[in-house]
DNA sequence: AGAGTCTTGATTATGTGTAATCCATGTGAG
DNA sequence: CTCACATGGATTACACATAATCAAGACTCT
């Protein structure tokens, strides 16, 4: 008799842990920043019991996405300008650090892969922000993915999710796209030239550029309402 | 009739959340690194039910002190040399960043406070590692405590707990103590001179020195068993 | 009357206990 | 060595008890 169940691809949602789904809803704005998170509402929303909800809330509290106050429940972490500035300040420290290891260790194949990804990015002219994010992730994954410092990678990953969600809400302008492409090209050039300092400088500039863009959009959004 | 209960100071332990107690036991080594964390054992140990234990485990998982694997339970995060190197690499990035804001904003009173704390540190000649840690914390609290970047502060705080626990297990040697004092003096001097770059450099060196010391002790410990 | 304080009730978080199910691992038969 | 099975423990669900918080109304004193 067939022991392996195959009717599961109809419900692959069960595979992703609850706190991951909730985190997605937080960064996507489905659970608005600052809003109250009541266990029973969430239990209904995700069709689970309140026990898993409580555990997910504690997990997200540890990760910093949720603020727990004793006997007063949970609220979604505020994603305001100050928060964006904070995480980009940290990105601007960590990304140059991460790339320094890659420079000098980069193989021909890896550099070729970066070039290929970058060409695909530049070939995209439509407003497919999701595809752009995937490619951008792949690009940086080549440079950071093999770094030994899993702590730093975890921090960058956490912050990256927030940045991703904001990028979805505020797509890059054509001007920003051009700047991004130029920065990517300069990153590749610095790596090919095995110039650590140049690579670190460009990567920092890359992060600062993204920060500037997002802050402008946030401010405009706040001004309009 | 007296409606206000007054027998509460006998049990103030309830005030500290479970995950804080567990975190303390993890960093102090009472719950050894890498060891299995069974919910029922922990429930007995802390005299609570399984639910709070699970919530604490999820919180600590989010903070990175505990590794959860689905249906396989929880283990204490390994505190090996690689981990120490990782977190000190991050400290060496964050601490210079944090202090740069303080330089130039430091008031006379704050500098005087740093000097006073440092004098107290140098007056300590006994092996009172706990007192030393408290004073060292106070010293750096003056410089970092008011920084706007609460994210960076949270990261430093988390890592600081691990460092603290290791420092308890491996007290600073007299040579290291002397180096620490000299570094503190140089930090004060750089701040008094409003020299951002110098302060950042010394702080980074300070972190690297602590890292070197701990790594040596860890290696010696591992060699002996 | 008006300002401040107290009581009360609804809501929700927090903790305990129990049961059912699922999964990973170890064991033993073949 | 391989596979079925047994078992320990995690995971989820549910029911209930306690306790903290908040808001609205009642009450008191000036």
């Amino acid at each position: 008799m067939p022991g392996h169940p195959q009717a599961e691809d109809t419900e692959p949602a069960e595979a992703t842990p609850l706190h991951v789904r909730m985190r997605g809803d937080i960064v996507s704005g489905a659970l608005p920043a600052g809003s109250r998170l009541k266990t029973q509402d969430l239990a209904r929303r995700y069709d689970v019991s309140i026990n898993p909800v409580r555990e997910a809330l504690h997990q997200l509290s540890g990760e910093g996405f949720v603020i727990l106050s004793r006997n007063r429940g949970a609220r979604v972490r505020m994603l305001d300008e100050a928060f964006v500035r904070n995480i980009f300040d940290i990105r601007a420290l960590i990304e140059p650090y991460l790339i320094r290891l890659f420079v000098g260790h980069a193989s021909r194949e890896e550099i070729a892969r970066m070039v290929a990804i970058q060409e695909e990015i530049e070939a995209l002219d439509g407003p497919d922000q999701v595809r752009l994010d995937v490619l951008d992730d792949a690009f940086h994954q080549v440079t950071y993915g093999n770094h030994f410092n899993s702590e730093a990678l975890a921090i960058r990953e956490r912050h990256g999710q927030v940045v991703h969600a904001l990028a979805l809400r505020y797509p890059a302008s054509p001007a920003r796209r051009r700047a991004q492409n130029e920065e990517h090209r300069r990153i590749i050039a610095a790596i090919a030239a095995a110039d650590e300092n140049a690579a670190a400088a460009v990567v920092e500039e890359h992060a600062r550029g993204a920060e500037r863009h997002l802050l402008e959009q946030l401010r405009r959004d706040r001004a309009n309402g």
Side-chain angles (χ1 to χ4, degrees), chain A residues 178-208:
Chain A
R178 277 194 299 278
Q180 271 178 352
N181 288 333
E182 201 226 342
E183 285 153 8
H184 278 193
R185 288 292 181 183
R186 282 163 62 200
I187 290 173
I188 295 174
I191 292 171
D195 187 340
E196 247 191 53
N197 293 330
V202 180
V203 161
E204 181 176 345
E205 188 183 335
H206 192 51
R208 289 305 184 188

PDB file of all heavy atoms in Angstrom, chain A residues 178-208:
ATOM      1  N   ARG A 178      18.618  53.028 -12.032  1.00  0.00           N
ATOM      2  CA  ARG A 178      19.885  53.280 -12.729  1.00  0.00           C
ATOM      3  C   ARG A 178      21.039  53.320 -11.732  1.00  0.00           C
ATOM      4  O   ARG A 178      22.095  52.731 -11.957  1.00  0.00           O
ATOM      5  CB  ARG A 178      19.800  54.603 -13.491  1.00  0.00           C
ATOM      6  CG  ARG A 178      19.126  54.489 -14.847  1.00  0.00           C
ATOM      7  CD  ARG A 178      19.370  55.743 -15.691  1.00  0.00           C
ATOM      8  NE  ARG A 178      18.829  56.959 -15.064  1.00  0.00           N
ATOM      9  CZ  ARG A 178      17.535  57.322 -15.152  1.00  0.00           C
ATOM     10  NH1 ARG A 178      16.679  56.573 -15.823  1.00  0.00           N
ATOM     11  NH2 ARG A 178      17.127  58.429 -14.568  1.00  0.00           N
ATOM     12  N   ALA A 179      20.824  54.002 -10.626  1.00  0.00           N
ATOM     13  CA  ALA A 179      21.891  54.094  -9.621  1.00  0.00           C
ATOM     14  C   ALA A 179      22.235  52.694  -9.095  1.00  0.00           C
ATOM     15  O   ALA A 179      23.416  52.348  -8.961  1.00  0.00           O
ATOM     16  CB  ALA A 179      21.443  55.002  -8.480  1.00  0.00           C
ATOM     17  N   GLN A 180      21.199  51.915  -8.830  1.00  0.00           N
ATOM     18  CA  GLN A 180      21.423  50.554  -8.352  1.00  0.00           C
ATOM     19  C   GLN A 180      22.290  49.766  -9.324  1.00  0.00           C
ATOM     20  O   GLN A 180      23.242  49.093  -8.925  1.00  0.00           O
ATOM     21  CB  GLN A 180      20.077  49.831  -8.201  1.00  0.00           C
ATOM     22  CG  GLN A 180      19.420  49.990  -6.843  1.00  0.00           C
ATOM     23  CD  GLN A 180      18.074  49.285  -6.795  1.00  0.00           C
ATOM     24  OE1 GLN A 180      17.576  48.802  -7.813  1.00  0.00           O
ATOM     25  NE2 GLN A 180      17.495  49.239  -5.618  1.00  0.00           N
ATOM     26  N   ASN A 181      21.933  49.867 -10.604  1.00  0.00           N
ATOM     27  CA  ASN A 181      22.682  49.099 -11.601  1.00  0.00           C
ATOM     28  C   ASN A 181      24.134  49.537 -11.644  1.00  0.00           C
ATOM     29  O   ASN A 181      25.044  48.707 -11.705  1.00  0.00           O
ATOM     30  CB  ASN A 181      22.029  49.271 -12.979  1.00  0.00           C
ATOM     31  CG  ASN A 181      20.714  48.519 -13.061  1.00  0.00           C
ATOM     32  OD1 ASN A 181      20.514  47.525 -12.364  1.00  0.00           O
ATOM     33  ND2 ASN A 181      19.813  49.003 -13.916  1.00  0.00           N
ATOM     34  N   GLU A 182      24.312  50.842 -11.572  1.00  0.00           N
ATOM     35  CA  GLU A 182      25.695  51.326 -11.615  1.00  0.00           C
ATOM     36  C   GLU A 182      26.464  50.817 -10.387  1.00  0.00           C
ATOM     37  O   GLU A 182      27.610  50.384 -10.498  1.00  0.00           O
ATOM     38  CB  GLU A 182      25.701  52.856 -11.654  1.00  0.00           C
ATOM     39  CG  GLU A 182      27.002  53.418 -12.195  1.00  0.00           C
ATOM     40  CD  GLU A 182      27.508  54.554 -11.328  1.00  0.00           C
ATOM     41  OE1 GLU A 182      26.711  55.118 -10.530  1.00  0.00           O
ATOM     42  OE2 GLU A 182      28.698  54.877 -11.439  1.00  0.00           O
ATOM     43  N   GLU A 183      25.807  50.827  -9.236  1.00  0.00           N
ATOM     44  CA  GLU A 183      26.472  50.346  -8.029  1.00  0.00           C
ATOM     45  C   GLU A 183      26.807  48.866  -8.148  1.00  0.00           C
ATOM     46  O   GLU A 183      27.911  48.422  -7.777  1.00  0.00           O
ATOM     47  CB  GLU A 183      25.579  50.604  -6.808  1.00  0.00           C
ATOM     48  CG  GLU A 183      25.555  52.061  -6.372  1.00  0.00           C
ATOM     49  CD  GLU A 183      24.273  52.461  -5.661  1.00  0.00           C
ATOM     50  OE1 GLU A 183      23.447  51.565  -5.358  1.00  0.00           O
ATOM     51  OE2 GLU A 183      24.086  53.671  -5.429  1.00  0.00           O
ATOM     52  N   HIS A 184      25.880  48.104  -8.667  1.00  0.00           N
ATOM     53  CA  HIS A 184      26.159  46.670  -8.854  1.00  0.00           C
ATOM     54  C   HIS A 184      27.370  46.468  -9.765  1.00  0.00           C
ATOM     55  O   HIS A 184      28.238  45.629  -9.496  1.00  0.00           O
ATOM     56  CB  HIS A 184      24.928  45.972  -9.441  1.00  0.00           C
ATOM     57  CG  HIS A 184      23.896  45.613  -8.415  1.00  0.00           C
ATOM     58  ND1 HIS A 184      22.855  44.764  -8.664  1.00  0.00           N
ATOM     59  CD2 HIS A 184      23.757  45.987  -7.130  1.00  0.00           C
ATOM     60  CE1 HIS A 184      22.109  44.625  -7.574  1.00  0.00           C
ATOM     61  NE2 HIS A 184      22.637  45.374  -6.630  1.00  0.00           N
ATOM     62  N   ARG A 185      27.406  47.232 -10.839  1.00  0.00           N
ATOM     63  CA  ARG A 185      28.544  47.111 -11.770  1.00  0.00           C
ATOM     64  C   ARG A 185      29.853  47.442 -11.051  1.00  0.00           C
ATOM     65  O   ARG A 185      30.875  46.784 -11.253  1.00  0.00           O
ATOM     66  CB  ARG A 185      28.338  48.070 -12.960  1.00  0.00           C
ATOM     67  CG  ARG A 185      27.253  47.636 -13.923  1.00  0.00           C
ATOM     68  CD  ARG A 185      27.676  46.388 -14.666  1.00  0.00           C
ATOM     69  NE  ARG A 185      26.663  45.951 -15.633  1.00  0.00           N
ATOM     70  CZ  ARG A 185      26.793  44.843 -16.359  1.00  0.00           C
ATOM     71  NH1 ARG A 185      27.870  44.081 -16.230  1.00  0.00           N
ATOM     72  NH2 ARG A 185      25.846  44.483 -17.200  1.00  0.00           N
ATOM     73  N   ARG A 186      29.790  48.469 -10.219  1.00  0.00           N
ATOM     74  CA  ARG A 186      31.015  48.859  -9.516  1.00  0.00           C
ATOM     75  C   ARG A 186      31.403  47.803  -8.479  1.00  0.00           C
ATOM     76  O   ARG A 186      32.585  47.569  -8.220  1.00  0.00           O
ATOM     77  CB  ARG A 186      30.830  50.228  -8.854  1.00  0.00           C
ATOM     78  CG  ARG A 186      30.953  51.365  -9.875  1.00  0.00           C
ATOM     79  CD  ARG A 186      30.378  52.658  -9.332  1.00  0.00           C
ATOM     80  NE  ARG A 186      31.079  53.125  -8.153  1.00  0.00           N
ATOM     81  CZ  ARG A 186      30.554  53.987  -7.272  1.00  0.00           C
ATOM     82  NH1 ARG A 186      29.327  54.454  -7.467  1.00  0.00           N
ATOM     83  NH2 ARG A 186      31.245  54.362  -6.229  1.00  0.00           N
ATOM     84  N   ILE A 187      30.400  47.155  -7.899  1.00  0.00           N
ATOM     85  CA  ILE A 187      30.710  46.068  -6.956  1.00  0.00           C
ATOM     86  C   ILE A 187      31.428  44.948  -7.686  1.00  0.00           C
ATOM     87  O   ILE A 187      32.470  44.443  -7.236  1.00  0.00           O
ATOM     88  CB  ILE A 187      29.410  45.550  -6.304  1.00  0.00           C
ATOM     89  CG1 ILE A 187      28.830  46.598  -5.353  1.00  0.00           C
ATOM     90  CG2 ILE A 187      29.674  44.241  -5.559  1.00  0.00           C
ATOM     91  CD1 ILE A 187      27.464  46.238  -4.795  1.00  0.00           C
ATOM     92  N   ILE A 188      30.880  44.581  -8.845  1.00  0.00           N
ATOM     93  CA  ILE A 188      31.506  43.510  -9.624  1.00  0.00           C
ATOM     94  C   ILE A 188      32.933  43.903 -10.000  1.00  0.00           C
ATOM     95  O   ILE A 188      33.876  43.103  -9.863  1.00  0.00           O
ATOM     96  CB  ILE A 188      30.677  43.219 -10.896  1.00  0.00           C
ATOM     97  CG1 ILE A 188      29.304  42.666 -10.505  1.00  0.00           C
ATOM     98  CG2 ILE A 188      31.415  42.240 -11.788  1.00  0.00           C
ATOM     99  CD1 ILE A 188      28.366  42.490 -11.693  1.00  0.00           C
ATOM    100  N   ALA A 189      33.098  45.147 -10.432  1.00  0.00           N
ATOM    101  CA  ALA A 189      34.433  45.585 -10.846  1.00  0.00           C
ATOM    102  C   ALA A 189      35.419  45.513  -9.685  1.00  0.00           C
ATOM    103  O   ALA A 189      36.546  45.027  -9.832  1.00  0.00           O
ATOM    104  CB  ALA A 189      34.356  47.009 -11.401  1.00  0.00           C
ATOM    105  N   ALA A 190      34.975  45.964  -8.523  1.00  0.00           N
ATOM    106  CA  ALA A 190      35.867  45.961  -7.364  1.00  0.00           C
ATOM    107  C   ALA A 190      36.246  44.531  -6.992  1.00  0.00           C
ATOM    108  O   ALA A 190      37.392  44.250  -6.621  1.00  0.00           O
ATOM    109  CB  ALA A 190      35.194  46.660  -6.187  1.00  0.00           C
ATOM    110  N   ILE A 191      35.291  43.621  -7.076  1.00  0.00           N
ATOM    111  CA  ILE A 191      35.588  42.226  -6.743  1.00  0.00           C
ATOM    112  C   ILE A 191      36.546  41.638  -7.762  1.00  0.00           C
ATOM    113  O   ILE A 191      37.516  40.960  -7.401  1.00  0.00           O
ATOM    114  CB  ILE A 191      34.276  41.409  -6.686  1.00  0.00           C
ATOM    115  CG1 ILE A 191      33.437  41.861  -5.489  1.00  0.00           C
ATOM    116  CG2 ILE A 191      34.586  39.930  -6.596  1.00  0.00           C
ATOM    117  CD1 ILE A 191      32.057  41.270  -5.465  1.00  0.00           C
ATOM    118  N   ALA A 192      36.286  41.926  -9.033  1.00  0.00           N
ATOM    119  CA  ALA A 192      37.169  41.398 -10.081  1.00  0.00           C
ATOM    120  C   ALA A 192      38.582  41.935  -9.901  1.00  0.00           C
ATOM    121  O   ALA A 192      39.559  41.225 -10.159  1.00  0.00           O
ATOM    122  CB  ALA A 192      36.623  41.774 -11.462  1.00  0.00           C
ATOM    123  N   ALA A 193      38.681  43.180  -9.438  1.00  0.00           N
ATOM    124  CA  ALA A 193      40.003  43.769  -9.230  1.00  0.00           C
ATOM    125  C   ALA A 193      40.580  43.398  -7.877  1.00  0.00           C
ATOM    126  O   ALA A 193      41.674  43.845  -7.532  1.00  0.00           O
ATOM    127  CB  ALA A 193      39.899  45.294  -9.356  1.00  0.00           C
ATOM    128  N   ALA A 194      39.843  42.605  -7.107  1.00  0.00           N
ATOM    129  CA  ALA A 194      40.300  42.190  -5.781  1.00  0.00           C
ATOM    130  C   ALA A 194      40.606  43.395  -4.895  1.00  0.00           C
ATOM    131  O   ALA A 194      41.535  43.372  -4.094  1.00  0.00           O
ATOM    132  CB  ALA A 194      41.513  41.262  -5.879  1.00  0.00           C
ATOM    133  N   ASP A 195      39.793  44.447  -5.043  1.00  0.00           N
ATOM    134  CA  ASP A 195      40.007  45.672  -4.267  1.00  0.00           C
ATOM    135  C   ASP A 195      39.002  45.710  -3.111  1.00  0.00           C
ATOM    136  O   ASP A 195      37.877  46.174  -3.249  1.00  0.00           O
ATOM    137  CB  ASP A 195      39.826  46.886  -5.180  1.00  0.00           C
ATOM    138  CG  ASP A 195      40.213  48.184  -4.470  1.00  0.00           C
ATOM    139  OD1 ASP A 195      40.252  48.194  -3.219  1.00  0.00           O
ATOM    140  OD2 ASP A 195      40.477  49.170  -5.175  1.00  0.00           O
ATOM    141  N   GLU A 196      39.461  45.224  -1.957  1.00  0.00           N
ATOM    142  CA  GLU A 196      38.602  45.128  -0.782  1.00  0.00           C
ATOM    143  C   GLU A 196      37.961  46.446  -0.421  1.00  0.00           C
ATOM    144  O   GLU A 196      36.743  46.550  -0.230  1.00  0.00           O
ATOM    145  CB  GLU A 196      39.438  44.647   0.419  1.00  0.00           C
ATOM    146  CG  GLU A 196      39.079  43.280   0.924  1.00  0.00           C
ATOM    147  CD  GLU A 196      39.765  43.021   2.249  1.00  0.00           C
ATOM    148  OE1 GLU A 196      39.617  43.850   3.163  1.00  0.00           O
ATOM    149  OE2 GLU A 196      40.454  41.994   2.355  1.00  0.00           O
ATOM    150  N   ASN A 197      38.798  47.461  -0.296  1.00  0.00           N
ATOM    151  CA  ASN A 197      38.297  48.739   0.187  1.00  0.00           C
ATOM    152  C   ASN A 197      37.273  49.330  -0.766  1.00  0.00           C
ATOM    153  O   ASN A 197      36.256  49.872  -0.329  1.00  0.00           O
ATOM    154  CB  ASN A 197      39.459  49.716   0.377  1.00  0.00           C
ATOM    155  CG  ASN A 197      40.369  49.259   1.510  1.00  0.00           C
ATOM    156  OD1 ASN A 197      39.907  48.625   2.461  1.00  0.00           O
ATOM    157  ND2 ASN A 197      41.654  49.558   1.393  1.00  0.00           N
ATOM    158  N   ALA A 198      37.545  49.209  -2.050  1.00  0.00           N
ATOM    159  CA  ALA A 198      36.597  49.742  -3.022  1.00  0.00           C
ATOM    160  C   ALA A 198      35.273  49.008  -2.912  1.00  0.00           C
ATOM    161  O   ALA A 198      34.199  49.626  -2.882  1.00  0.00           O
ATOM    162  CB  ALA A 198      37.162  49.606  -4.434  1.00  0.00           C
ATOM    163  N   ALA A 199      35.320  47.691  -2.825  1.00  0.00           N
ATOM    164  CA  ALA A 199      34.084  46.910  -2.726  1.00  0.00           C
ATOM    165  C   ALA A 199      33.303  47.316  -1.489  1.00  0.00           C
ATOM    166  O   ALA A 199      32.079  47.525  -1.543  1.00  0.00           O
ATOM    167  CB  ALA A 199      34.411  45.415  -2.694  1.00  0.00           C
ATOM    168  N   ALA A 200      34.013  47.429  -0.374  1.00  0.00           N
ATOM    169  CA  ALA A 200      33.334  47.807   0.872  1.00  0.00           C
ATOM    170  C   ALA A 200      32.691  49.182   0.732  1.00  0.00           C
ATOM    171  O   ALA A 200      31.545  49.393   1.149  1.00  0.00           O
ATOM    172  CB  ALA A 200      34.327  47.796   2.030  1.00  0.00           C
ATOM    173  N   ALA A 201      33.406  50.109   0.106  1.00  0.00           N
ATOM    174  CA  ALA A 201      32.876  51.464  -0.046  1.00  0.00           C
ATOM    175  C   ALA A 201      31.626  51.466  -0.917  1.00  0.00           C
ATOM    176  O   ALA A 201      30.626  52.106  -0.594  1.00  0.00           O
ATOM    177  CB  ALA A 201      33.949  52.375  -0.640  1.00  0.00           C
ATOM    178  N   VAL A 202      31.667  50.734  -2.013  1.00  0.00           N
ATOM    179  CA  VAL A 202      30.512  50.726  -2.911  1.00  0.00           C
ATOM    180  C   VAL A 202      29.308  50.097  -2.232  1.00  0.00           C
ATOM    181  O   VAL A 202      28.183  50.576  -2.344  1.00  0.00           O
ATOM    182  CB  VAL A 202      30.843  49.964  -4.216  1.00  0.00           C
ATOM    183  CG1 VAL A 202      29.628  49.978  -5.134  1.00  0.00           C
ATOM    184  CG2 VAL A 202      32.035  50.568  -4.906  1.00  0.00           C
ATOM    185  N   VAL A 203      29.564  49.001  -1.516  1.00  0.00           N
ATOM    186  CA  VAL A 203      28.462  48.314  -0.852  1.00  0.00           C
ATOM    187  C   VAL A 203      27.814  49.230   0.184  1.00  0.00           C
ATOM    188  O   VAL A 203      26.585  49.279   0.312  1.00  0.00           O
ATOM    189  CB  VAL A 203      28.972  47.016  -0.204  1.00  0.00           C
ATOM    190  CG1 VAL A 203      28.008  46.528   0.842  1.00  0.00           C
ATOM    191  CG2 VAL A 203      29.167  45.956  -1.263  1.00  0.00           C
ATOM    192  N   GLU A 204      28.650  49.966   0.897  1.00  0.00           N
ATOM    193  CA  GLU A 204      28.075  50.903   1.871  1.00  0.00           C
ATOM    194  C   GLU A 204      27.243  51.962   1.168  1.00  0.00           C
ATOM    195  O   GLU A 204      26.127  52.281   1.594  1.00  0.00           O
ATOM    196  CB  GLU A 204      29.193  51.554   2.689  1.00  0.00           C
ATOM    197  CG  GLU A 204      28.640  52.524   3.720  1.00  0.00           C
ATOM    198  CD  GLU A 204      29.728  53.107   4.622  1.00  0.00           C
ATOM    199  OE1 GLU A 204      30.851  52.560   4.635  1.00  0.00           O
ATOM    200  OE2 GLU A 204      29.429  54.096   5.312  1.00  0.00           O
ATOM    201  N   GLU A 205      27.782  52.477   0.085  1.00  0.00           N
ATOM    202  CA  GLU A 205      27.045  53.473  -0.685  1.00  0.00           C
ATOM    203  C   GLU A 205      25.727  52.883  -1.189  1.00  0.00           C
ATOM    204  O   GLU A 205      24.683  53.554  -1.198  1.00  0.00           O
ATOM    205  CB  GLU A 205      27.918  53.934  -1.858  1.00  0.00           C
ATOM    206  CG  GLU A 205      27.344  55.102  -2.632  1.00  0.00           C
ATOM    207  CD  GLU A 205      28.242  55.441  -3.820  1.00  0.00           C
ATOM    208  OE1 GLU A 205      29.461  55.128  -3.749  1.00  0.00           O
ATOM    209  OE2 GLU A 205      27.724  55.973  -4.813  1.00  0.00           O
ATOM    210  N   HIS A 206      25.779  51.625  -1.590  1.00  0.00           N
ATOM    211  CA  HIS A 206      24.591  50.911  -2.076  1.00  0.00           C
ATOM    212  C   HIS A 206      23.509  50.902  -0.995  1.00  0.00           C
ATOM    213  O   HIS A 206      22.333  51.188  -1.257  1.00  0.00           O
ATOM    214  CB  HIS A 206      24.998  49.486  -2.450  1.00  0.00           C
ATOM    215  CG  HIS A 206      23.968  48.736  -3.227  1.00  0.00           C
ATOM    216  ND1 HIS A 206      23.362  49.234  -4.356  1.00  0.00           N
ATOM    217  CD2 HIS A 206      23.445  47.497  -3.055  1.00  0.00           C
ATOM    218  CE1 HIS A 206      22.511  48.348  -4.834  1.00  0.00           C
ATOM    219  NE2 HIS A 206      22.532  47.280  -4.062  1.00  0.00           N
ATOM    220  N   ALA A 207      23.909  50.572   0.208  1.00  0.00           N
ATOM    221  CA  ALA A 207      22.947  50.536   1.308  1.00  0.00           C
ATOM    222  C   ALA A 207      22.399  51.931   1.591  1.00  0.00           C
ATOM    223  O   ALA A 207      21.195  52.119   1.766  1.00  0.00           O
ATOM    224  CB  ALA A 207      23.602  49.956   2.555  1.00  0.00           C
ATOM    225  N   ARG A 208      23.291  52.912   1.601  1.00  0.00           N
ATOM    226  CA  ARG A 208      22.851  54.274   1.891  1.00  0.00           C
ATOM    227  C   ARG A 208      21.884  54.778   0.839  1.00  0.00           C
ATOM    228  O   ARG A 208      20.939  55.521   1.142  1.00  0.00           O
ATOM    229  CB  ARG A 208      24.068  55.199   1.977  1.00  0.00           C
ATOM    230  CG  ARG A 208      24.938  54.978   3.205  1.00  0.00           C
ATOM    231  CD  ARG A 208      24.132  55.086   4.463  1.00  0.00           C
ATOM    232  NE  ARG A 208      24.955  54.962   5.664  1.00  0.00           N
ATOM    233  CZ  ARG A 208      24.453  54.869   6.879  1.00  0.00           C
ATOM    234  NH1 ARG A 208      23.132  54.852   7.062  1.00  0.00           N
ATOM    235  NH2 ARG A 208      25.238  54.743   7.920  1.00  0.00           N
TER     236      ARG A 208
END
